[in-house]
Amino acid sequence: MRVKRTVFAFVCVATVWLTVLFLVFSNNFGEQNRKNLYSQIIQLEEGIQHQFKSNNEIIKQTQDFLDQKKQVSQELLAEEQGEDGASKAELMVNPKAPGVDSPEGKLPILVFACNRVSVGRCLDKLLQYRPDPEKFPIIVTQDCDHDETANKIRSYGSQLTLIQQPDQSDIQVPPKEKKFKGYFKIARHYGWALNQMFFNFNFSTVIVVEDDLEIAPDFYEYFLGTYPLLQKDPTLWCVSAWNDNGKEGLVNAERPDLLYRTDFFPGLGWMMTRNLWLELYSKWPRSYWDDWIREPAQRKERSCIRPEISRTKTFGKIGVSNGMYFEKHLKYIKLNEEFVPFSKMNLTYLLKENYDKDFVGAVYKCPVVNYEDLRNNNISFNGPVRITYRKLNEYKIITKKLGLMDDFRGGVPRMAYKGIITFHYKGRTVHLAPSVNWKGYELSWS
């Protein structure tokens, strides 16, 4: 396979250069055109070489992963047969495979860092609230080659593990996207780090955190309680600690135990499995990975779990996004303060077969009201209500008035499930929902 790839890359480069030579020595080809073409060919050659290097790296990491699985299987077989093989206890402390799980499983925290020394604010809370270092190992992955940030991370000693993204080379981006180069570097970092977690360390599940997030006291308990749902329900592909509409005044502060399904990928503190990564890694994008992952081709009609009250809060106003949404939305997100024992609760209501019948059914039994009556508290009964939207402009007008985020990704409104956005307003639950004959998300609405 590697030989075929090498031959293919050589043929591509050779073809390109033969084309250049033909054009350059043509009498009708001007000097300026020669220079422009030469520059474009150099960029194309570099792109081919970069892709070839990336392919080889992915192949190597996958082969290492398969070799480790084979080795572990052989050692377990030898133990069962009474041969002189590695014991399960020895496998548990193997530094090449720290993710060989105990019967209860490990839920590692992967913290993405770059050049924020304030990563300490994130790490302090992760360490303060961590109930069990063995069950929740913390791995910090750093990009950007920023010494001050690296030294800050190292100052925590054995409480965590630091890995550093080795490829600090420049990234070729289209001219019109040069100001967004940071998004290309972030996607490269994510791809490398997730490969490390799943193929090198051999973890089966990872909780992703970014260096500008502060966590709630029950952050770990939240993921511990929802982990079985992610394992059991194939229609789920993530658990997120974040509610995009979780601003003070839009959440029920008295119900921190409430959880929902959403078709929107929230991110900002989220749990994924190795099976999902095996599906995504070979087509991982060069940039804008979070928008890419929200596209129908990746989502495949799967959902995430999200909380009523967020278990993370961002303090990173300055970053690659230049503070997009921060002043208007993100800084107002309410961080949960009350500990909820999710691991001791029955959360099976979130399984699709239960949720679609009970939750969605209940939504469409709610009485319909309009925005004006809701705003003016001109509703004579208690209990949840429903506001109906049918068109994009109608949805935009209502969400702006209510203070909800009004944008779409992959055709899905933020926090929607089957088009339904649930929030709390003036003491009651409100469902902003499409009409009963809803046919599905419209990509043209994004």
Side-chain angles (χ1 to χ4, degrees), residues 142-154:
Q142 188 199 6
D143 199 1
C144 307
D145 201 21
H146 189 254
D147 289 338
E148 192 176 358
T149 301
N151 291 335
K152 178 63 178 179
I153 298 167
R154 290 191 183 100

Side-chain angles (χ1 to χ4, degrees), residues 320-354:
V320 174
S321 65
N322 295 318
M324 184 185 299
Y325 301 125
F326 187 86
E327 286 297 330
K328 189 174 180 180
H329 288 282
L330 301 183
K331 76 176 184 179
Y332 299 108
I333 296 294
K334 178 178 175 58
L335 182 66
N336 182 59
E337 298 175 357
E338 180 181 337
F339 188 93
V340 177
F342 286 110
S343 64
K344 296 178 174 61
M345 296 170 60
N346 182 359
L347 302 179
T348 56
Y349 70 91
L350 291 161
L351 297 175
K352 183 175 176 61
E353 66 263 24
N354 299 329

Side-chain angles (χ1 to χ4, degrees), residues 377-393:
N377 206 19
N378 189 24
I379 302 173
S380 60
F381 52 86
N382 296 322
V385 296
R386 174 164 52 104
I387 298 178
T388 301
Y389 70 91
R390 295 174 181 82
K391 298 179 180 179
L392 175 59
N393 63 338

Side-chain angles (χ1 to χ4, degrees), residues 174-405:
K176 64 180 181 180
E177 296 190 83
K178 282 188 176 180
K179 63 180 180 180
F180 302 119
K181 183 178 287 189
Y183 289 104
F184 287 77
K185 292 184 176 180
I186 289 172
R188 178 172 69 182
H189 186 194
Y190 262 80
W192 177 84
L194 290 171
N195 276 341
Q196 294 299 307
M197 296 298 285
F198 291 121
F199 296 153
N200 186 23
F201 295 154
N202 200 27
F203 288 114
S204 61
T205 308
V206 167
I207 300 170
V208 176
V209 174
E210 295 175 353
D211 58 358
D212 61 346
L213 290 180
E214 183 177 336
I215 68 166
D218 61 349
F219 173 87
Y220 292 97
E221 177 69 8
Y222 171 70
F223 285 108
L224 193 62
T226 53
Y227 171 74
L229 298 173
L230 190 60
Q231 297 295 308
K232 181 177 182 179
D233 189 344
T235 69
L236 290 174
W237 71 328
C238 91
V239 175
S240 174
W242 181 261
N243 176 4
D244 270 304
N245 292 318
K247 294 189 289 188
E248 195 89 43
L250 290 176
V251 295
N252 188 344
E254 297 179 358
R255 293 296 307 276
D257 59 309
L258 275 179
L259 304 180
Y260 297 89
R261 292 176 69 103
T262 176
D263 297 323
F264 191 86
F265 172 78
L268 293 175
W270 55 285
M271 179 166 58
M272 68 178 294
T273 65
R274 177 166 54 204
N275 285 340
L276 177 59
W277 185 242
L278 287 171
E279 179 185 321
L280 298 178
Y281 83 94
S282 62
K283 57 178 182 177
W284 192 248
R286 292 189 65 225
S287 64
Y288 317 117
W289 72 267
D290 49 349
D291 283 341
W292 173 84
I293 209 172
R294 291 164 176 149
E295 294 173 357
Q298 281 66 250
R299 188 173 69 83
K300 297 181 179 178
E301 298 187 354
R302 292 172 292 194
S303 305
C304 296
I305 300 297
R306 63 92 171 172
E308 170 78 356
I309 305 177
S310 293
R311 265 59 187 186
T312 56
K313 182 178 177 67
T314 179
F315 54 85
K317 178 180 178 179
I318 305 301
V320 174
S321 65
N322 295 318
M324 184 185 299
Y325 301 125
F326 187 86
E327 286 297 330
K328 189 174 180 180
H329 288 282
L330 301 183
K331 76 176 184 179
Y332 299 108
I333 296 294
K334 178 178 175 58
L335 182 66
N336 182 59
E337 298 175 357
E338 180 181 337
F339 188 93
V340 177
F342 286 110
S343 64
K344 296 178 174 61
M345 296 170 60
N346 182 359
L347 302 179
T348 56
Y349 70 91
L350 291 161
L351 297 175
K352 183 175 176 61
E353 66 263 24
N354 299 329
Y355 198 82
D356 286 1
K357 179 179 66 175
D358 298 333
F359 174 79
V360 178
V363 167
Y364 285 98
K365 291 178 182 177
C366 290
V368 176
V369 301
N370 58 44
Y371 165 72
E372 285 72 20
D373 286 341
L374 179 67
R375 180 192 59 186
N376 297 327
N377 206 19
N378 189 24
I379 302 173
S380 60
F381 52 86
N382 296 322
V385 296
R386 174 164 52 104
I387 298 178
T388 301
Y389 70 91
R390 295 174 181 82
K391 298 179 180 179
L392 175 59
N393 63 338
E394 188 177 13
Y395 177 85
K396 290 274 190 180
I397 291 171
I398 295 172
T399 51
K400 285 182 182 297
K401 288 179 177 179
L402 290 168
L404 302 169
M405 295 193 77

Side-chain angles (χ1 to χ4, degrees), residues 406-426:
D406 66 344
D407 60 327
F408 293 71
R409 294 290 188 274
V412 183
R414 291 182 186 264
M415 300 297 98
Y417 184 72
K418 294 187 177 296
I420 304 164
I421 298 90
T422 300
F423 58 99
H424 204 68
Y425 190 84
K426 293 191 175 182

